[in-house]
Amino acid sequence: MHKFLNPARKKRLYIVLFIIAGVSIALAIMMTALRQHINFFYSPSQVAAGEVSAGQRFRIGGLVVDESVMRVEDSLQVRFALTDGAQEVWVTYAGILPDLFREGQGIVAQGALDEAGVFQADEVLAKHDENYMPPEVAQALAEAGHPTQLSTPDAT
Amino acid sequence: MLPELGHFALILALLLAVVQAVFPLLGSFYQKPAWVALGQPAACAQAFFLVCSLLCLTAAFILNDFSVAYVAENSNSRLPLHFRISAVWGAHEGSMLLWMTMLSLWGMSAALASRHLPENISARLISVLGWVSVGFLLFILLTSNPFERLLPYVPLDGADLNPLLQDIGLIIHPPLLYLGYVGLVVPFAFAMAVLMSGNLASAWARWLRPWAVTAWVFLTLGILLGSWWAYRELGWGGWWFWDPVENASLLPWLVATALIHSLAVTDKRGMFKAWTIFLAIFAFSLSLLGTFLVRSGVLTSVHAFANDPARGVFILILLGISVGSAMLLYAWRAQSLREEVKLHLWSRETMLLANNVLLVVMTLSILLGTLYPLILDAFNLGLISVGPPYFNAMFVPLAAPLLFLMALGPHQRWSKTQPSEWLGRLRYTFAISVTLGVVLPFVVTGSLQGHVVLGLALACWVLIATLQDLLGKGMRRGKGFTGVWQLPRSQQGMVIAHVGVAVCAIGIALSSQYSQERDVRMVPGDAYTLGAYTFLFEEVVSGEGPNYTTTTGLFEVSKTKRGGEQVIGTLAPQKRLFYVRNQIMTRAAILANGWRDLYIALGEPLDERAHAWAVRIVYKPFVRWIWLGGLLIALGGFVALFDRRYRQKVAQAFQGAIDLGRLKPANAE
Amino acid sequence: MMNSANSNNHHQKHRLAWLRWAAPLAVFLLLLLLFWRGLSLDSSTLPSPLVGQPMPAFSLEMLHDASVLKTEQDFKGQVALINVWATWCFACHHEHPMLMDLAYLNRVPIYGLNYRDDREAALSWLEALGDPYQFTVFDPDATVSIDWGVYGAPETFVIDQKGIIHYRHVGVITINDWETVFLPLIEQLEQAA
């Protein structure tokens, strides 16, 4: 094998090494970017069990507890509790809530826990539908090539 | 009766698709021209019956036939007529039928046009198209029949079309998008036919170019309209969300873009044959993949209820068979497609190769981000979501070199160019672009932001260099505009499209960096000032639409100019409460001109007694440029279609270059 | 660089040429596997925190008679199904004939939990389509349904004799679901007692 390492082959080898290096660098960049920008999803039970530490960004999903939604006078600050049936977590959010946000509705919020264990959301997404089949919105939107079942009041 | 006819037409279409799939293929192997000849009429008849079927479904919607489950689920007697028609593709079953109808129309057109191809290619092309039809018709008939009846309990009225879909954008957007998605089947079928026949002449590339470009134009328009719709209907001012479903349409677009560029090389220089074939397969695979992701619910499973595993399994099997067989065929034949490639660093080919590499890397990085939640979930590593920051972090560094090279590419000759030929011209262009990129934002805003400088400089670079190239080449043909007009249409199209990309880049860079957005609490009588604009909340009025009630906020917008305040318009954002679904929809109001959009949306009533509302006020500069650029890109593709060379009989190009396969030469029609 | 790399290296190129097709093919096969697995993950994505727990306590009016209150105690005693339904829910339309069949089979009692609905509409629905339920409790504000972790309709819970929830089914029950999931579970629960 080795004696065949003529200049042409050497060049070839370099090219291959170059490609491998390029691919690994690209992959490494992608993976780092991914690691930095993913958000884990936790349920209120998991949060209550202390699986998440304060300050860590994640998504939480659950149903808005009935009669828990409170507005702060003269501002857009809102506070409500999320439950998965077992545990509740308090969420605060400043801004416009999605149209489908109501008590009893399933929502997903993105943000982090503060020191007091209250979830500070910077984004609240509401499920468009509580009807499983036909899963109209999710699917209809999806089929049309669109953001599926989540509507967001937050612009990118 | 009509729904049964529609169902029957679907079954007939399936039988015809089987004929179209089987006979031409067997005929081409056993040298039976009569069998091969069955393909074309079968393709036409299949398209005819699918159109009939689609019309039957449309009729059921127009006539409010709520005994049809799909109509009952997606329409209502109070829904206006135009939305009753667009409701046909408002949900899975109907949109699948539309998808399929478009597939058959593409199949028919390709079958008709293929008479200019050697018979051993055209027979297989028609057959592959037939197989794809068979797969999807089976899918519709077995898992997603839109004609299913709700008997004996017939609802008195329907559940209404989802309010979000009751928008002009949704009337035209899905058909265009599907035309694009599905149009990629022609390059795919063609690639398969070429691989099967082992016919390695590059003359086929010329036949394929207009097909690939047409599909790409529709895909571009479809994505564009989708983004515009999202901006108006659910974006709250955003126009792209990197949602898995949006990505599903962007991925085939990126690869189709790579494909139309590599086809140019194959057509002009006879190189990159294997690569072009691979891209043709890849593009359609991604379009199938998108269909799978969107309709199976695998990706959105974290939050979605919308899933029907049976459909998912079916599409996965279709995906496996079609892409798997294509890849195996490719593996088997790719060896024989080996070619001598002589690339010079400074040549059009190299530039287009770089374009392809960047586009494919972009595709892969977006694909990875889209599928990453699924990968982690599959290994029980947690439920996650990948947000826009990831995609932005990947997209910008890849788009920048792409734009940089986009300006350079057209200045290169095929085969080999001396850098000295263009270095002189482009040196100044480069300097001017960088200067503009730095000076313009600084003069206007008094500050500098990296992304704006980069975006603006690159856009100027592309814009100026492209026009330089156009004028330079036009000048050689004749004076002024006559020279430019006399250039080949494909060249003019390329220039328009590239200018479109530059316009789009300006729009993205400026709107994403300079947008201002405020959520405020307002009571009638309040005024809010954002930059030079003042928004006076006048009053709230109630009204009624055909199938909803409205609450409208009236805002007077004025602009501070040197002389004082000047009223520039009234904005009337609405809340609509749709009767049937008892669902509230936000209808934003937009005051737009070429330079900026003023966007107001009513949030929710905060205090009934004081009539306080949460209001979102957004100032978005240059956001229209994004869609204007997109339109130019599509227009460029459209213009390129009129290139005279595409209309020359490709058969002539094939003659002599190749042996015409085992069949007797195609007898003239 | 590209020039020298790609020309006159015919045989070396040959050796690596298989990568050109093998790599995409391998990636594709991996993706297929991934998607296959993804599809099977679907049904398990909404695990109820209540599985393995006793039913949450409640007290609700009966649909047919607002003066009668039912509590979780009324569901106990047998392995049973609790089906969450509503008239606005089209999936429930699809599911209804299946429930009627199950009621006819009379393998286990089925209780209804009418969810965010209108009493009149719900009653006329049962009149028109038949009533598969032993009885239905009426939860117009979804107060109880939230405790149950109900996200939508239809949903079906399997409870044992002591009122412990053993399974939560999201969406329409198909014959396949009945045969492969419900029936084995019901038999197992009955034998365990």
Side-chain angles (χ1 to χ4, degrees):
Chain A
M1 258 326 259
H2 301 286
K3 63 183 172 186
F4 290 114
L5 217 58
N6 57 35
R9 284 201 170 194
K10 234 181 195 164
K11 247 177 208 163
R12 186 81 202 152
L13 185 69
Y14 288 143
I15 297 292
V16 170
L17 286 177
F18 180 75
I19 291 173
I20 291 175
V23 168
S24 358
I25 290 172
L27 263 180
I29 292 175
M30 281 187 217
M31 294 313 286
T32 345
L34 266 178
R35 202 148 296 158
Q36 283 168 355
H37 298 302
I38 59 173
N39 288 303
F40 276 87
F41 182 92
Y42 291 98
S43 67
S45 296
Q46 285 173 303
V47 174
E51 287 186 31
V52 203
S53 50
Q56 180 191 338
R57 279 185 64 78
F58 66 99
R59 285 179 161 212
I60 186 168
L63 300 163
V64 180
V65 176
D66 264 14
E67 286 164 32
S68 73
V69 180
M70 287 179 285
R71 281 265 173 210
V72 180
E73 195 74 7
D74 284 331
S75 82
L76 293 177
Q77 195 77 29
V78 63
R79 192 180 158 91
F80 55 88
L82 269 189
T83 180
D84 56 1
Q87 297 286 345
E88 289 181 7
V89 169
W90 279 96
V91 179
T92 67
Y93 174 68
I96 295 180
L97 292 165
D99 289 333
L100 291 157
F101 182 94
R102 338 170 221 162
E103 292 176 343
Q105 175 70 283
I107 64 131
V108 174
Q110 182 155 322
L113 287 176
D114 64 10
E115 294 302 330
V118 175
F119 188 80
Q120 305 280 348
D122 45 37
E123 194 179 13
V124 173
L125 312 153
K127 287 176 183 130
H128 267 307
D129 212 345
E130 46 187 314
N131 202 345
Y132 290 127
M133 205 204 83
E136 303 107 332
V137 177
Q139 233 182 28
L141 285 184
E143 250 107 90
H146 274 297
T148 44
Q149 63 294 358
L150 301 175
S151 84
T152 164
D154 272 80
T156 41
Chain B
M1 195 57 206
L2 274 176
E4 278 68 34
L5 277 180
H7 193 184
F8 187 62
L10 266 182
I11 297 170
L12 275 180
L14 173 65
L15 295 178
L16 286 160
V18 172
V19 170
Q20 184 192 337
V22 174
F23 284 96
L25 193 64
L26 290 181
S28 77
F29 279 114
Y30 296 112
Q31 309 208 22
K32 305 248 189 209
W35 292 10
V36 174
L38 277 175
Q40 227 179 64
C44 297
Q46 187 206 333
F48 172 77
F49 283 113
L50 275 164
V51 170
C52 286
S53 182
L54 189 66
L55 287 177
C56 286
L57 187 62
T58 314
F61 269 94
I62 293 175
L63 300 172
N64 288 324
D65 184 353
F66 299 120
S67 70
V68 178
Y70 182 73
V71 179
E73 283 160 22
N74 294 291
S75 184
N76 184 273
S77 53
R78 277 200 268 192
L79 192 66
L81 181 66
H82 53 286
F83 290 133
R84 289 219 295 278
I85 294 171
S86 71
V88 170
W89 50 84
H92 170 77
E93 288 87 348
S95 68
M96 210 57 229
L97 182 61
L98 179 71
W99 201 98
M100 187 60 230
T101 309
M102 305 227 158
L103 183 76
S104 71
L105 289 174
W106 277 103
M108 180 178 82
S109 326
L112 288 177
S114 72
R115 61 180 101 192
H116 301 309
L117 292 173
E119 199 163 312
N120 65 341
I121 289 194
S122 77
R124 283 152 185 159
L125 170 74
I126 292 173
S127 169
V128 173
L129 288 166
W131 284 114
V132 178
S133 285
V134 169
F136 279 94
L137 279 167
L138 277 175
F139 174 66
I140 293 180
L141 284 167
L142 296 180
T143 73
S144 330
N145 180 7
F147 296 108
E148 207 172 290
R149 295 266 200 182
L150 276 178
L151 293 173
Y153 181 88
V154 176
L156 289 177
D157 212 333
D160 205 2
L161 177 64
N162 187 285
L164 271 175
L165 307 181
Q166 297 185 24
D167 180 75
I168 179 86
L170 247 285
I171 297 180
I172 35 181
H173 153 63
L176 284 174
L177 190 69
Y178 294 159
L179 265 180
Y181 253 159
V182 172
L184 293 174
V185 75
V186 179
F188 171 79
F190 197 86
M192 296 282 274
V194 166
L195 285 174
M196 275 193 263
S197 65
N199 190 333
L200 307 179
S202 51
W204 49 261
R206 184 167 305 165
W207 185 88
L208 191 53
R209 276 182 86 177
W211 292 93
V213 171
T214 313
W216 176 84
V217 167
F218 283 121
L219 201 51
T220 311
L221 287 175
I223 294 175
L224 195 70
L225 273 168
S227 152
W228 180 67
W229 171 76
Y231 175 74
R232 288 165 14 115
E233 278 289 298
L234 53 88
W236 291 88
W239 51 272
W240 191 262
F241 298 90
W242 295 110
D243 180 277
V245 181
E246 285 175 317
N247 293 348
S249 64
L250 184 65
L251 291 170
W253 185 84
L254 287 171
V255 175
T257 311
L259 174 67
I260 57 179
H261 286 91
S262 93
L263 266 173
V265 183
T266 311
D267 177 18
K268 295 269 188 171
R269 301 279 299 148
M271 298 193 308
F272 299 174
K273 274 184 270 185
W275 176 245
T276 303
I277 296 255
F278 176 73
L279 285 179
I281 295 173
F282 194 21
F284 187 63
S285 308
L286 284 173
S287 129
L288 287 183
L289 179 83
T291 308
F292 168 74
L293 293 179
V294 165
R295 288 166 199 267
S296 67
V298 271
L299 261 193
T300 42
S301 64
V302 179
H303 341 273
F305 302 138
N307 49 53
D308 181 346
R311 285 178 191 156
V313 169
F314 204 114
I315 306 185
L316 191 59
I317 292 171
L318 280 184
L319 185 74
I321 293 176
S322 53
V323 181
S325 55
M327 291 237 182
L328 284 175
L329 193 61
Y330 179 78
W332 179 41
R333 290 288 195 178
Q335 292 298 331
S336 52
L337 280 169
R338 197 151 34 81
E339 55 206 310
E340 289 296 304
V341 180
K342 284 207 167 100
L343 273 183
H344 287 275
L345 179 56
W346 298 112
S347 68
R348 186 80 68 85
E349 297 91 308
T350 312
M351 291 291 156
L352 287 170
L353 178 67
N355 147 303
N356 271 224
V357 169
L358 285 167
L359 282 170
V360 168
V361 172
M362 218 179 238
T363 308
L364 293 179
S365 65
I366 294 172
L367 189 65
L368 180 68
T370 311
L371 296 180
Y372 200 60
L374 185 62
I375 298 174
L376 285 200
D377 198 12
F379 292 104
N380 284 327
L381 292 172
L383 298 178
I384 60 142
S385 62
V386 176
Y390 164 78
F391 294 102
N392 293 336
M394 295 312 302
F395 197 75
V396 174
L398 288 167
L402 196 64
L403 282 174
F404 182 76
L405 293 177
M406 182 187 289
L408 231 45
H411 286 269
Q412 315 293 323
R413 281 177 214 275
W414 293 108
S415 182
K416 193 175 184 184
T417 315
Q418 292 301 331
S420 54
E421 287 180 43
W422 47 267
L423 210 54
R425 287 174 252 164
L426 291 182
R427 216 168 24 202
Y428 300 109
T429 311
F430 186 76
I432 292 171
S433 314
V434 173
T435 319
L436 280 176
V438 174
V439 170
L440 275 182
F442 189 76
V443 169
V444 177
T445 67
S447 65
L448 281 182
Q449 278 162 301
H451 275 107
V452 176
V453 173
L454 182 71
L456 218 53
L458 279 171
C460 292
W461 165 243
V462 171
L463 211 59
I464 302 173
T466 305
L467 293 176
Q468 247 179 324
D469 174 57
L470 178 78
L471 291 177
K473 285 182 181 143
M475 227 90 101
R476 260 171 267 153
R477 294 248 176 172
K479 261 189 197 145
F481 265 113
T482 28
V484 171
W485 183 250
Q486 280 166 2
L487 285 174
R489 293 286 173 268
S490 59
Q491 190 139 18
Q492 295 169 344
M494 183 266 287
V495 168
I496 297 173
H498 284 189
V499 167
V501 173
V503 171
C504 197
I506 294 176
I508 294 174
L510 297 184
S511 78
S512 61
Q513 296 299 316
Y514 293 136
S515 283
Q516 296 189 51
E517 174 185 308
R518 302 279 185 277
D519 288 347
V520 285
R521 180 184 195 275
M522 290 178 94
V523 276
D526 278 0
Y528 187 84
T529 305
L530 183 67
Y533 301 95
T534 303
F535 301 84
L536 175 66
F537 187 11
E538 291 182 319
E539 56 174 335
V540 179
V541 292
S542 307
E544 210 161 328
N547 51 346
Y548 51 83
T549 54
T550 60
T551 307
T552 310
L554 291 176
F555 292 79
E556 190 188 75
V557 188
S558 49
K559 187 177 185 184
T560 317
K561 287 191 177 154
R562 264 155 298 176
E565 296 240 322
Q566 191 189 342
V567 176
I568 54 171
T570 305
L571 280 171
Q574 264 181 357
K575 277 293 197 201
R576 291 184 178 173
L577 175 63
F578 284 81
Y579 299 133
V580 180
R581 298 206 178 191
N582 201 18
Q583 193 172 322
I584 298 174
M585 275 287 309
T586 302
R587 188 104 194 150
I590 302 169
L591 191 65
N593 66 19
W595 309 106
R596 50 106 191 100
D597 274 22
L598 299 172
Y599 184 111
I600 294 191
L602 284 180
E604 65 228 278
L606 297 175
D607 185 346
E608 297 292 345
R609 274 164 301 136
H611 299 292
W613 282 82
V615 179
R616 168 162 296 185
I617 298 176
V618 186
Y619 164 72
K620 273 209 173 294
F622 288 88
V623 69
R624 303 264 132 174
W625 287 46
I626 298 172
W627 302 304
L628 176 69
L631 274 180
L632 284 173
I633 294 173
L635 177 69
F638 185 69
V639 168
L641 285 178
F642 291 93
D643 199 306
R644 214 173 292 138
R645 294 185 324 119
Y646 297 157
R647 280 194 302 251
Q648 287 164 1
K649 291 261 158 64
V650 180
Q652 291 158 7
F654 274 93
Q655 296 291 334
I658 32 136
D659 78 308
L660 285 175
R662 278 165 291 182
L663 278 179
K664 279 171 233 153
N667 32 2
E669 62 274 32
Chain C
M1 181 184 79
M2 291 199 183
N3 175 21
S4 49
N6 290 310
S7 59
N8 68 42
N9 282 312
H10 207 245
H11 37 285
Q12 280 106 339
K13 198 176 165 185
H14 203 82
R15 188 166 295 151
L16 284 163
W18 61 273
L19 264 178
R20 281 203 308 200
W21 55 265
L25 193 63
V27 170
F28 174 69
L29 289 177
L30 282 176
L31 279 182
L32 274 189
L33 273 177
L34 179 69
F35 293 146
W36 189 260
R37 178 130 174 76
L39 280 175
S40 62
L41 285 172
D42 261 359
S43 50
S44 61
T45 47
L46 284 173
S48 172
L50 291 175
V51 168
Q53 305 277 326
M55 284 184 283
F58 67 85
S59 161
L60 281 176
E61 290 172 11
M62 240 176 90
L63 180 68
H64 287 89
D65 185 351
S67 62
V68 179
L69 287 182
K70 293 281 183 185
T71 69
E72 75 282 0
Q73 297 299 332
D74 295 305
F75 292 171
K76 290 185 183 173
Q78 279 191 71
V79 176
L81 303 185
I82 297 176
N83 177 252
V84 182
W85 64 280
T87 54
W88 46 260
C89 148
F90 257 92
C92 304
H93 266 275
H94 287 273
E95 193 182 38
H96 202 85
M98 180 70 195
L99 292 175
M100 290 303 290
D101 289 348
L102 293 182
Y104 178 76
L105 281 175
N106 203 15
R107 182 74 182 75
V108 285
I110 306 171
Y111 299 103
L113 176 58
N114 181 259
Y115 171 62
R116 288 173 181 278
D117 209 349
D118 178 69
R119 194 188 290 266
E120 302 248 317
L123 286 171
S124 60
W125 155 297
L126 291 181
E127 194 139 323
L129 294 178
D131 186 350
Y133 308 108
Q134 302 290 317
F135 60 81
T136 297
V137 290
F138 182 54
D139 186 18
D141 307 317
T143 42
V144 169
S145 312
I146 286 188
D147 293 338
W148 284 72
V150 169
Y151 275 76
E155 276 188 20
T156 306
F157 294 85
V158 179
I159 55 167
D160 70 6
Q161 297 86 340
K162 299 190 196 85
I164 294 184
I165 297 173
H166 283 270
Y167 176 63
R168 168 171 173 231
H169 185 81
V170 167
V172 173
I173 304 175
T174 62
I175 294 175
N176 189 35
D177 293 330
W178 174 253
E179 283 173 353
T180 59
V181 183
F182 284 88
L183 218 46
L185 179 63
I186 290 166
E187 273 161 13
Q188 183 199 331
L189 291 174
E190 281 172 348
Q191 277 159 15

